């Protein structure tokens, strides 16, 4: 029975649409497995500590101020003075802020899922200059200053791994739990003795901080002049935040990075004033920088990226299959097209399941090799020639190799994909340049060699 070219192409297009059903199910499975992994990471963080952010130290001086206001009685018209007392706080950022730290990473596993934790060992030092009378120039007599304290914001205090002690002007003081201020949700603080009024005072501080966290470590450059130095054996850092390192070195043995900022760049003093006066703390809390220790190879992300090319991959394979059928005048049943398409779809399922237990490159190699071998074996019998089947197998293997290149070179994925499609289109046009397509539609394919 003669089959027209239009009927065959329509059948192939329908098969491609039907194959989108299992591909969509596999894509949903990727999202489910990724959500399960993220849930395990959250559980690990809940039992240890979350990402850490260090803010401070900041000197806080609570005060009470007497406000006097003239008012007039409505009935008598007499004026009188009313007094009321308000509470407030003064904040002083360091003139100099230095943090030097080393970070070691370790892997915690729960089932097949793994989380990367880190432990940092940091030394913090600097200087705070306290102006005379805390900078109050007018109505000083109306102020009653309470005992000041030094506060350090630490986003998850469960990660603190040492007994914190503050070195302040030659004294050793113990930190107390809690930041003591609503601006810093979590942290520690040190109560200080009342300071002598009328003179400028210098507070030279220093303390050692051992901190455990997960995923990322960030620092707020609170100093008028801030310098942060971090080093680690982790070879795949991702620098995050508002500022990139001024100096950095990355190798297979680890990385080292140095940040240098000032108030001219951070505008942190104004951001702090907005936080205190207008309760708009987002600008202050967003001015940080640091490093992320997340694994750069996310098998779920790469598998999801791979399946986005599935439609193109199936279409190209079917196009090659159809081209061989037309050029060699063979009869290939739509069921045979469908079985080849299902083998291509199962590649993504194999890739997802294997990548949860093996390195992504190894999982990709095993999955691609299995699918290429299966399709090659099957196509060799369908096309009635091991030579034709071998050529088709080599072409399919080349497609899998190009797909892996697309996944590895994210920045050049569009360029590589465009060149691939253009090259394949050129090959089809060259091979079919003398083909009588009207003849294909009228002629019944033969099943010979």
């Amino acid at each position: 029975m003669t089959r027209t070219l239009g009927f065959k192409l329509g059948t192939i297009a329908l098969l491609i649409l039907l194959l989108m059903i299992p591909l969509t199910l596999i894509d949903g499975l990727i999202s489910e497995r990724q959500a399960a992994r993220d849930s395990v990471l959250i559980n690990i963080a809940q039992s240890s500590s979350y990402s850490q952010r260090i803010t401070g130290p900041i000197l806080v001086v609570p005060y009470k101020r007497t406000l006097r206001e003239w008012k007039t009685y409505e009935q008598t018209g007499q004026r009188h003075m009313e007094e009321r007392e308000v509470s407030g706080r003064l904040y002083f950022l360091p003139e100099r802020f230095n943090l030097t730290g080393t970070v070691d990473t370790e892997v915690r596993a729960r089932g097949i899922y793994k989380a990367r934790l880190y432990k940092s060992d940091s030394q913090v030092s600097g200087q705070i200059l306290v102006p005379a009378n805390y900078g109050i120039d007018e109505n000083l007599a109306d102020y009653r200053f309470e005992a000041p304290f030094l506060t350090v914001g630490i986003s998850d205090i469960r990660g603190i791994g040492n007994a914190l002690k503050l070195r302040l002007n030659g004294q050793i003081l113990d930190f107390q739990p809690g930041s003591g201020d609503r601006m810093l949700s979590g942290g520690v603080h040190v109560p200080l003795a009342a300071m002598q009024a009328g003179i400028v005072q210098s507070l030279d501080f220093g303390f050692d901080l051992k901190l455990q966290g997960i995923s990322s470590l960030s620092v707020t450059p609170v100093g008028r002049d801030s310098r942060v130095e971090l080093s680690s054996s982790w070879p795949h850092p991702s620098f995050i935040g508002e500022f990139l390192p001024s100096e950095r070195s990355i190798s297979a043995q680890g990385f080292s990075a140095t940040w240098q900022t000032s108030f001219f760049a951070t505008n942190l003093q104004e951001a702090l004033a907005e936080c205190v006066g207008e309760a708009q703390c987002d600008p202050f809390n967003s001015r940080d920088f640091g490093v992320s220790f997340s694994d750069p190879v996310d098998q779920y992300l790469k598998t999801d990226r791979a399946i986005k090319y599935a439609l193109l991959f199936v279409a190209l394979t079917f196009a090659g299959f159809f081209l061989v059928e037309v050029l060699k005048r063979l009869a290939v049943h739509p069921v045979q097209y469908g079985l080849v398409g299902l083998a291509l779809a199962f590649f993504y399922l194999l890739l997802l399941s294997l990548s949860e237990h093996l390195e992504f490159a190894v999982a990709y190699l095993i999955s691609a090799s299995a699918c290429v071998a299966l399709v090659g074996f099957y196509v060799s019998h369908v096309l009635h020639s091991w030579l034709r089947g071998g050529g088709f197998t080599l072409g399919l293997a080349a497609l899998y190799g190009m797909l892996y290149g697309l996944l590895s070179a994210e920045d050049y994925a569009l360029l590589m994909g465009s060149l691939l499609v253009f090259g394949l289109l050129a090959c089809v046009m060259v091979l079919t340049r003398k083909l009588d397509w009207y003849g294909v539609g009228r002629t019944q394919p033969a099943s010979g060699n």
Side-chain angles (χ1 to χ4, degrees):
M1 184 170 109
T2 303
R3 299 193 175 193
T4 65
L5 179 64
F7 175 78
K8 192 60 174 287
L9 291 176
T11 303
I12 294 175
L14 178 61
L15 285 173
I16 293 176
L17 292 178
L18 292 176
L19 283 173
M20 293 306 297
I21 297 175
L23 289 173
T24 302
L25 294 176
I26 295 174
D27 192 23
L29 182 60
I30 294 173
S31 300
E32 291 179 8
R33 302 296 289 180
Q34 189 174 22
R37 189 275 311 271
D38 293 341
S39 177
V40 170
L41 294 184
I42 293 175
N43 289 335
I44 293 176
Q46 287 176 341
S47 59
S48 57
S49 53
Y50 293 97
S51 299
Q52 296 287 9
R53 181 172 182 263
I54 303 172
T55 305
I58 301 173
L59 178 65
V60 182
V61 183
Y63 68 84
K64 294 186 182 298
R65 181 185 179 184
T66 301
L67 295 179
R68 299 176 178 83
E69 184 178 6
W70 286 98
K71 290 192 174 181
T72 303
Y73 290 115
E74 295 182 0
Q75 297 179 346
T76 62
Q78 293 181 343
R79 299 186 66 196
H80 69 284
M81 179 177 291
E82 288 188 358
E83 294 184 356
R84 60 187 177 93
E85 193 173 62
V86 296
S87 300
R89 291 185 171 188
L90 301 175
Y91 297 85
F92 300 94
L93 297 175
E95 290 290 314
R96 292 185 294 102
F97 171 75
N98 299 309
L99 185 148
T100 303
T102 58
V103 186
D104 294 322
T105 62
E106 62 178 278
V107 175
R108 298 281 181 87
R110 185 168 295 177
I112 64 173
Y113 302 107
K114 298 178 180 179
R116 187 167 301 278
L117 276 68
Y118 64 82
K119 292 183 178 180
S120 66
D121 188 354
S122 305
Q123 295 76 46
V124 181
S125 62
Q127 180 189 53
I128 298 177
L129 291 180
V130 185
N133 299 321
Y134 298 116
I136 304 299
D137 298 325
E138 298 179 355
N139 303 318
L140 180 61
D142 294 337
Y143 287 82
R144 290 191 297 109
F145 298 105
E146 300 177 358
F149 61 92
L150 200 70
T151 180
V152 179
I154 299 174
S155 55
D156 192 344
I157 59 175
R158 296 177 303 162
I160 299 176
N162 63 315
L164 292 177
K165 294 184 179 296
L166 177 68
R167 300 183 295 275
L168 186 69
N169 291 345
Q171 294 181 314
I172 304 296
L173 304 173
D174 292 327
F175 277 94
Q176 305 296 324
S179 65
D181 192 87
R182 56 104 186 156
M183 185 175 62
L184 305 174
S185 56
V188 293
H189 72 283
V190 178
L192 304 179
M195 298 183 184
Q196 185 177 354
I199 62 172
V200 178
Q201 298 187 62
S202 174
L203 301 180
D204 296 316
F205 62 84
F207 59 92
D208 299 328
L209 175 60
K210 296 182 184 295
L211 201 58
Q212 176 180 284
I214 189 172
S215 182
S216 65
L217 172 65
S218 58
V219 180
T220 302
V222 293
R224 186 175 297 275
D225 177 43
S226 297
R227 182 180 179 86
V228 175
E229 300 178 20
L230 292 177
S231 61
S232 173
S233 57
W234 177 242
H236 306 293
S238 176
F239 299 110
I240 58 177
E242 293 288 313
F243 305 92
L244 292 175
S246 55
E247 301 176 10
R248 65 178 182 177
S249 174
I250 304 174
S251 67
Q253 288 72 40
F255 78 90
S256 61
T258 300
W259 291 263
Q260 186 87 37
T261 64
S262 67
F263 277 174
F264 293 105
T266 64
N267 199 23
L268 205 63
Q269 190 73 57
E270 182 176 337
L272 177 62
E274 292 180 4
C275 182
V276 175
E278 303 176 11
Q280 296 292 330
C281 291
D282 288 342
F284 179 79
N285 293 326
S286 64
R287 284 170 169 79
D288 61 354
F289 53 74
V291 60
S292 172
F293 298 93
S294 299
D295 197 320
V297 180
D298 187 333
Q299 70 271 23
Y300 299 108
L301 179 60
K302 285 198 170 185
T303 305
D304 183 65
R305 287 182 57 203
I307 206 169
K308 293 184 185 304
Y309 294 96
L311 179 61
L312 176 63
F313 206 77
V314 172
L316 291 176
T317 304
F318 278 11
F321 211 16
F322 177 74
L323 190 62
V324 174
E325 177 186 1
V326 170
L327 293 176
K328 298 300 180 181
R329 296 186 177 276
L330 301 172
V332 180
H333 196 276
V335 172
Q336 294 171 319
Y337 276 91
L339 291 175
V340 171
L342 285 176
L344 297 178
F346 268 94
F347 159 75
Y348 300 99
L349 185 59
L350 284 174
L351 179 61
L352 173 62
S353 57
L354 289 176
S355 63
E356 291 185 332
H357 303 275
L358 302 172
E359 294 291 334
F360 183 82
V362 177
Y364 189 94
L365 178 61
I366 295 175
S367 304
S369 300
C371 289
V372 168
L374 176 60
V375 173
F377 173 79
Y378 183 72
V379 168
S380 296
H381 289 79
V382 172
L383 300 181
H384 308 290
S385 170
W386 287 102
L387 182 61
R388 296 168 188 165
F392 191 88
T393 302
L394 290 177
L396 186 60
L399 276 179
Y400 276 112
M402 292 178 183
L403 176 60
Y404 186 79
L406 290 174
L407 299 179
S408 302
E410 182 176 359
D411 293 337
Y412 300 96
L414 178 60
L415 176 61
M416 294 177 62
S418 301
L419 293 177
L420 170 63
V421 175
F422 180 80
L424 292 174
L425 177 61
C427 291
V428 172
M429 294 177 68
V430 170
L431 292 174
T432 61
R433 65 188 184 278
K434 297 181 179 180
L435 182 66
D436 181 9
W437 290 101
Y438 287 105
V440 173
R442 293 193 303 267
T443 304
Q444 181 177 358
S447 59
N449 293 328

